[in-house]
Amino acid sequence: MLVTLSNVNKGFLDEQVLEDINLSINELDRIGLLGVNGIGKSTLLNIISDCLQADGGTVSRKNGLVIGYHRQNEALDSQNTLSQEIKLALSEVYELRKELEALSLKISQTDASSPAYSLLESEYEKLNSRYIALDGYSAEVRINTVLNGLGFGEFDLEMKTASLSGGEKIRFSLAKILLQNPELLILDEPTNHLDFKMLEWLEDYLKGFKGAFLIVSHDRYFLDKTVDDICEIDGGTLYRYKGGYSAFLKQKEERLKLREREYEKQQAEIDKLRDYVQKNLARSSSANSVGSRVKALEKAESRLIKKPAARPKDIHFKFSFDIEPHKVVLTLKNVGVFVGNRVTGKQLYDNISLEVLNGEKIAIVGKNGVGKSSLIKAIMKKISFSGQIKFGGNVKVAYFDQELADLDLNDTVIEAVHKKFPSKTDFEIRSALGGLLIEDEAVFKKVRDLSGANRAKVQFCIIMFRRANVLILDEPTNHLDYVAKEALDEALKAFDGTLITVSHDRYFLNNVPTKIIEMFSDRLEIYNGNYDYYLEHRRLESTQSAPKKEASQNQLEYQSAKLNKAEERKKRAKINTLSKEIQTLEEEIASLKELSASEEVVTDYQKLSEVLEQIKEKENMLEEFENQWLELNL
């Protein structure tokens, strides 16, 4: 037994977050932890890892238990190099290694027949046992394995962590925790910022992990691949289910139905007993019978089944359209996209061609940075492109932007929808928002004050009102919890129109699209099936092409490694330069805006025009530099 929680309670101010939580974590347990946003998952992780004290109940941990806890926003020391951070993660291993080397030297210099020799030898064996337990002899192999698996194989380990992008910092902090090789691994949303290749590596790594782990994740596919049990926090109480995510869905529904049936059955029995007692209590001929029924009633009432909590309201997505489009809904011919301008920008791809037919459900996948979202934006005419992009007849498009940039943060929720559909009544808008569980006073909140999930729901409300026959969705499940994701999956499967989506959600990709298109810089590869079909055929292609590639691979490996390292250094230098230029421009823009508001400038039309023109020029430069920085960090 590693950790045991018995009747644990935790609240904040007047809100009870966790109530009578019971959980046992044993050696080799593989547990996924679920719960809607804000339900108390992180609170529970903090209690288990001894970062937070429970208000009541008991928490028992194995003596000397080593816990590795990776939070969603784990910090790195910005002054440290990557190498220094690795040494911090393996500090005990490196300390033991020094002590063993020193002892080994002493032993070599000590007479083997002396008492001191025996003492040194005994001490060496003790330290060596601990070193073996920490897997110290394979530390370097583990470092290379983990760094390569999480995309740091070509990074200069002497670079400062401050030079990493936000996503890279989170990935590197995950690498640090994995390198510690703890007895209990606690991971809070570990799949954030991982591409498909990294996700597959992490799944394989966890399958071979020698300890226990507890994972919070909204990645349903990942949970199916890695865990043996699902624990869900529901209404402050924890329920445990055997199997992965898909098994959990079925078992939870069965548990809820069984609980409801048991409660209804008991209530019917109690009502029947009460009715009999009331009717026959005054009749002496029935005294014995009534007495036995009274006892049965008292016994039943003493064992009352707690009334099941009302089920949470279902979230309702529904996508409908009025006009049937022509057979070909979208044509791309020799399309190319640049990020930045033609002089200093980067060409993501060129000569991309595609024909999309009515009713197809297509998902576009590919490596980070290949330009999937840029292609979607080009289709929506939001960025410049070369070649031809043409929609078919009777096509009506609705677009979901993963950044939710189409929403004005200063609008209230109801204003945001009204702006797009001024003819809709408040009742119609509030009814649609209510179906997405944005109710009552929440409709008058500013968009800026909403969670990411509720902002996404506002955007989906607008899309549903649009009644489009072609949906173009960029990372539609990103902000949603697993309950909302399930509802969105079902609604899109039921949609009779055309779907084009970019997504990293593999569970979604397995359930909704009927065609997967893998994007490369110079071509598209089409797979007529879901994500599992795509994976299977990719592996077959890889197996068949492996013998042909082996010889050339060996010849080019050394040169490729050298080139990759050189390119990586150039890339890092460019990122650092752009960061400084962006900071300088932001400061200059802020100063100019302050100047534009001064009395001297406001009252002089010519000066004001000149200042505003300077602001516009610098803002355009800032946008260009930010696009370049973003593309380099993808």
Side-chain angles (χ1 to χ4, degrees), residues 19 234-237 239 252 255-257 259-260 263-264 305-313:
E19 186 174 354
D234 187 5
T237 302
Y239 300 93
K252 180 182 178 181
R255 178 184 68 80
L256 292 174
K257 286 180 178 177
R259 193 71 173 166
E260 288 163 357
Y263 175 77
E264 289 165 4
I305 296 171
K306 186 179 177 182
K307 184 178 181 180
R311 293 209 190 190
K313 291 181 181 178

Side-chain angles (χ1 to χ4, degrees), residues 419-611:
K419 271 188 178 179
K420 302 291 184 181
F421 300 96
S423 64
K424 294 289 182 185
T425 65
D426 280 4
F427 176 78
E428 288 174 309
I429 292 173
R430 293 191 70 163
S431 295
L433 289 168
L436 299 174
L437 307 187
I438 301 177
E439 302 172 297
D440 304 325
E441 295 305 307
V443 303
F444 300 113
K445 279 187 176 183
K446 295 279 188 185
V447 172
R448 71 168 62 256
D449 296 327
L450 297 178
S451 66
N454 279 345
R455 286 188 195 180
K457 289 174 187 176
V458 174
Q459 187 65 53
F460 276 119
C461 181
I462 292 167
I463 287 172
M464 290 190 292
F465 272 141
R466 183 154 174 74
R467 300 184 68 81
N469 49 34
V470 176
L471 301 180
I472 298 180
L473 311 180
D474 190 4
E475 301 289 359
T477 65
N478 258 12
H479 304 280
L480 304 178
D481 61 35
Y482 64 98
V483 176
K485 285 179 181 180
E486 289 293 330
L488 181 62
D489 286 1
E490 293 305 314
L492 290 174
K493 282 195 285 186
F495 176 57
D496 291 327
T498 305
L499 171 68
I500 303 169
T501 184
V502 169
S503 178
H504 284 85
D505 185 338
R506 295 170 297 166
Y507 198 91
F508 171 83
L509 293 174
N510 226 25
N511 278 339
V512 178
T514 54
K515 180 182 284 188
I516 302 289
I517 297 179
E518 184 171 15
M519 187 172 185
F520 299 90
S521 59
D522 58 348
R523 70 189 190 283
L524 301 175
E525 295 283 351
I526 297 174
Y527 299 85
N528 292 307
N530 63 5
Y531 182 75
D532 279 347
Y533 175 92
Y534 154 76
L535 271 188
E536 181 185 346
H537 283 72
R538 284 282 285 142
R539 287 186 186 118
L540 282 172
E541 290 166 7
S542 179
T543 302
Q544 289 165 2
S545 63
K548 298 175 185 177
K549 291 181 179 178
E550 190 174 349
S552 59
Q553 184 67 26
N554 289 337
Q555 292 167 4
L556 295 173
E557 196 172 72
Y558 175 71
Q559 294 165 325
S560 176
K562 282 181 71 178
L563 285 171
N564 285 340
K565 286 181 179 178
E567 287 298 318
E568 188 62 39
R569 283 194 292 271
K570 287 180 185 176
K571 179 181 172 182
R572 291 291 144 198
K574 180 69 172 173
I575 288 171
N576 288 335
T577 302
L578 284 170
S579 296
K580 290 173 184 175
E581 289 173 343
I582 287 168
Q583 185 177 352
T584 301
L585 279 170
E586 286 174 340
E587 290 170 355
E588 289 175 354
I589 290 168
S591 297
L592 285 169
K593 284 183 177 178
E594 190 177 335
L595 179 63
S596 71
S598 67
E599 187 177 348
E600 179 189 351
V601 174
V602 168
T603 55
D604 187 326
Y605 177 75
Q606 186 175 350
K607 281 185 180 178
L608 180 61
S609 297
E610 289 172 357
V611 171

